Amino acid sequence: MTKKINFFANLKSDFASGLVVFLVALPLCLGIALASGAPPLSGIISGIIGGIIVGYLSKSHLSVSGPAAGLTAIVLKAITDLGAFDIFLTAVFIAGLIQLALGFIKAGTISNYFPNNVIEGMLAGIGVIIILKQIPHALGYDGDFEGDEAFLQSDGKNTFSELFSIVDHLQLGSIIIALVSLAILISWNKVPFLKNLKLVPAALIAVAFGIVLNEIFIRSGSDFSISKEHLVALPVPTTIEDFKNIIITPDFSGFLNKKVWITAATIAVVASIETLLCIEASDRMDAQKRYTDTNVELKAQGVGNILSSLLGGLPMTSVVVRTSANNAAGAKSKMSSIIHGLFLLVSVLTIPFLLNKIPLATLAAILLMVGYKLAKPSTVKHFWEKGKYQFVPFIITLLGVVFIDLLWGVGLGLIISVIFIMKGNLKKAYNFRKEQYVDGDVIHIDLAQEVSFLNKAAIKATLSEIPENSKVIITAHDTVYIAHDILDLIHEFKTIRAKESNIKVKLKGFKKAYQLENSEETLNKVTVEHYYDAAKRTFVKKEIIEDKFSN
């Protein structure tokens, strides 16, 4: 029976984080829509549905859905090729149906095969991108659209050349507002006399200060005043007709168009992969270590894209930037995502004129803080200390995400991880050596760093050839992973065949390999421990026979 969720259990923290995500999502939704060649409000519609509908249906506690930068090039090309936005919406509708089908056939389980170092590399790469892309906005140069994550840009420039161009376009008003905003974000909950105000999100205070400072600059006639192009630019409907024009419905005659189906399949596959990557990342970020049913998530995304297409919105995915901002702001449950969607809805209908006074420099400061938390130097140091098998896939993923794009970066990380696994398995899983002693042979078997089920046959053959009356020392001091199949094999050899053939067996380093140095269990004691079953996505009890790990 599914446990009923109390959406209001953490309302205090979820309301504050939902507000922060709303402030981050607003310019991103608009920027992605404009970059996609779609109506500006199509991005807001996608954000509203992603927040409220997908937020409600999803089992993820932290992820936030909306229009994604990773789909920008696909959407732009599709609208151009199909010739009309309403026909493109039909492709989005079909993509939603495909995602529903993927959820029902349990395609979400492929997320279990994303290694943690690759996911962490992806997050760190996104953090680096956020920092590099927001520096121009913080300094008053907005040559690139808000939300762009690509290294190579449509104007022929790239992320680094864009940074070098800042020198000729510095805007002192934006710099002052960005610095003030950063100071507020860093110190708001640390200054003693502000402790009573910590219920108010620091991001909201930063935005309020940004608006007030810019209004002072404008009214004083200062050169520091920020021009319109460096502010949020939300369309302002003034008549009933304007509101009617917001809603564009699909032209379902596109069902007969082969290009529509190709576009739909492309969107469904790319959006689903990005969503699964984001879900794995959000589960990694979750302080409570809750796990998301990815099959339910695909269904939720499918419903979201169907509804988005019917209301004239862009296709959506679960988005790493907004999810990271949500986690950094202290979200506890999916109510935060729903609140951010409600804020988007209310803002479009009631206060677009006020939102259009928000400087992009303030929002850049908020995102710079998010980027730093994702790409902390301590994260790189952590994987460096874990050794090359963990560090190389991590850093390759990071660099791939920054210099190519998210999917290519993750793909390269996965390829490197697979190569390392194959390389490890091609090597012998153990070294076999004999030493002659006066009182008989002593046979040493030293296990390698990784011993998988693929090595079972070779080790089994070696153990079966050990002569009677021998002494065997099996060492795992350098081993970081041993498949349970191998442990069972060694345990059976020690407890059954060794006794029958008068073979003395000593196991060394098995506690270290499984990080059980502090275990107080005794030999042959059967204990029960809880392990997370990734395939079933649940905790299960397992009986552990201490004799397997005895020294």
Side-chain angles (χ1 to χ4, degrees):
M1 185 175 179
T2 304
K3 185 179 178 181
K4 190 175 182 180
I5 297 174
N6 183 358
F7 285 92
F8 302 99
N10 303 288
L11 188 59
K12 188 186 296 182
S13 56
D14 287 339
F15 184 87
S17 55
L19 179 58
V20 171
V21 178
F22 155 70
L23 293 171
V24 169
L26 180 64
L28 295 181
C29 289
L30 290 169
I32 290 168
L34 292 172
S36 301
L41 280 174
S42 63
I44 300 292
I45 292 169
S46 178
I48 292 170
I49 294 170
I52 299 173
I53 305 299
V54 177
Y56 176 78
L57 295 175
S58 170
K59 297 296 183 183
S60 176
H61 296 276
L62 294 181
S63 73
V64 181
S65 296
L71 293 175
T72 301
I74 295 172
V75 173
L76 179 61
K77 186 176 186 302
I79 294 174
T80 303
D81 290 347
L82 297 175
F85 185 66
D86 55 355
I87 296 178
F88 167 74
L89 291 177
T90 303
V92 179
F93 181 86
I94 297 171
L97 294 176
I98 294 172
Q99 284 186 299
L100 266 178
L102 290 174
F104 279 110
I105 65 173
K106 301 188 183 303
T109 53
I110 65 170
S111 64
N112 294 325
Y113 299 98
F114 299 144
N116 288 339
N117 54 353
V118 172
I119 296 299
E120 292 287 351
M122 178 191 75
L123 286 173
I126 290 292
V128 172
I129 287 174
I130 291 173
I131 293 170
L132 294 176
K133 293 291 188 179
Q134 291 304 317
I135 288 175
H137 293 289
L139 301 181
Y141 176 58
D142 304 306
D144 199 9
F145 74 88
E146 185 69 69
D148 179 29
E149 296 175 5
F151 181 75
L152 297 175
Q153 299 173 183
S154 57
D155 59 3
K157 295 183 179 180
N158 60 54
T159 301
F160 291 136
S161 63
E162 195 85 5
L163 290 173
F164 296 140
S165 301
I166 296 174
V167 180
D168 301 323
H169 300 86
L170 293 177
Q171 210 282 327
L172 291 179
S174 292
I175 295 173
I176 292 170
I177 288 174
L179 291 174
V180 170
S181 299
L182 280 172
I184 292 171
L185 293 167
I186 293 170
S187 64
W188 185 248
N189 291 328
K190 295 180 180 179
V191 179
F193 66 84
L194 293 176
K195 282 186 177 179
N196 294 330
L197 297 175
K198 69 180 181 180
L199 293 179
V200 181
L204 181 60
I205 303 301
V207 167
F209 265 82
I211 293 174
V212 170
L213 273 176
N214 193 45
E215 286 297 310
I216 292 173
F217 294 154
I218 292 172
R219 295 179 188 279
S220 64
S222 170
D223 291 336
F224 291 169
S225 61
I226 298 175
S227 57
K228 194 174 181 180
E229 61 266 23
H230 302 307
L231 304 174
V232 170
L234 186 66
V236 183
T238 55
T239 65
I240 298 296
E241 196 64 30
D242 288 339
F243 278 104
K244 287 181 179 178
N245 291 335
I246 291 174
I247 307 299
I248 302 174
T249 56
D251 179 358
F252 287 113
S253 65
F255 264 108
L256 304 176
N257 189 333
K258 181 182 176 181
K259 289 183 178 179
V260 168
W261 284 88
I262 294 173
T263 300
T266 304
I267 291 172
V269 171
V270 174
S272 297
I273 292 174
E274 289 207 14
T275 290
L276 294 177
L277 287 168
C278 181
I279 291 300
E280 286 298 307
S282 68
D283 286 352
R284 291 282 299 164
M285 288 186 275
D286 189 0
Q288 299 181 48
K289 298 304 174 189
R290 294 165 292 188
Y291 294 92
T292 303
D293 187 328
T294 48
N295 296 310
V296 172
E297 184 65 30
L298 287 179
K299 295 174 188 176
Q301 294 291 331
V303 172
N305 277 320
I306 289 170
L307 291 178
S308 183
S309 70
L310 294 175
L311 296 174
L314 290 176
M316 71 185 69
T317 72
S318 181
V319 189
V320 176
V321 175
R322 271 156 271 188
T323 299
S324 303
N326 194 33
N327 177 66
K332 302 293 183 187
S333 77
K334 61 184 184 176
M335 188 64 184
S336 176
S337 176
I338 296 172
I339 288 171
H340 122 274
L342 290 171
F343 270 125
L344 284 174
L345 176 61
V346 171
S347 67
V348 170
L349 298 177
T350 58
I351 55 167
F353 59 91
L354 178 60
L355 297 174
N356 286 344
K357 294 180 181 293
I358 300 176
L360 292 178
T362 295
L363 301 179
I366 295 171
L367 284 167
L368 283 171
M369 292 295 292
V370 173
Y372 174 75
K373 289 180 180 179
L374 289 174
K376 284 182 179 179
S378 58
T379 303
V380 180
K381 182 183 176 184
H382 169 73
F383 281 97
W384 173 263
E385 291 173 346
K386 280 194 167 188
K388 65 179 181 180
Y389 289 102
Q390 289 293 313
F391 180 74
V392 174
F394 166 81
I395 203 68
I396 290 294
T397 303
L398 189 159
L399 295 174
V401 169
V402 172
F403 290 104
I404 310 176
D405 64 28
L406 186 145
L407 292 183
W408 270 101
V410 170
L412 288 172
L414 288 172
I415 290 170
I416 296 298
S417 296
V418 170
I419 289 173
F420 278 173
I421 292 171
M422 292 175 66
K423 184 179 178 182
N425 282 305
L426 284 173
K427 292 180 178 179
K428 292 187 71 175
Y430 58 93
N431 290 322
F432 178 83
R433 52 195 169 89
K434 283 187 179 183
E435 294 179 9
Q436 193 72 28
Y437 283 82
V438 176
D439 56 344
D441 286 340
V442 176
I443 300 172
H444 293 261
I445 299 176
D446 302 328
L447 298 182
Q449 189 176 44
E450 292 188 5
V451 187
S452 74
F453 71 93
L454 297 175
N455 309 117
K456 182 177 178 180
I459 294 176
K460 188 175 182 179
T462 297
L463 294 177
S464 67
E465 292 172 3
I466 292 176
E468 295 181 357
N469 306 313
S470 300
K471 295 178 181 179
V472 180
I473 299 175
I474 304 177
T475 306
H477 285 305
D478 298 325
T479 308
V480 294
Y481 170 75
I482 309 175
H484 284 285
D485 288 7
I486 306 300
L487 287 174
D488 290 337
L489 183 64
I490 293 172
H491 174 64
E492 288 170 5
F493 172 76
K494 181 182 178 182
T495 57
I496 301 174
R497 181 169 180 268
K499 289 182 179 180
E500 293 174 352
S501 303
N502 193 30
I503 299 172
K504 294 181 179 180
V505 180
K506 187 172 185 179
L507 306 183
K508 288 185 175 181
F510 282 77
K511 285 186 179 180
K512 179 183 176 182
Y514 278 80
Q515 298 179 355
L516 298 174
E517 293 94 338
N518 299 324
S519 173
E520 297 179 355
E521 298 166 0
T522 59
L523 294 181
N524 300 319
K525 177 181 176 182
V526 178
T527 62
V528 176
E529 295 184 10
H530 289 80
Y531 285 79
Y532 184 72
D533 189 327
K536 297 181 179 178
R537 306 188 75 80
T538 184
F539 282 95
V540 295
K541 290 182 179 180
K542 287 188 177 180
E543 289 188 346
I544 305 299
I545 302 174
E546 173 61 19
D547 195 32
K548 287 183 183 180
F549 307 105
S550 64
N551 283 328

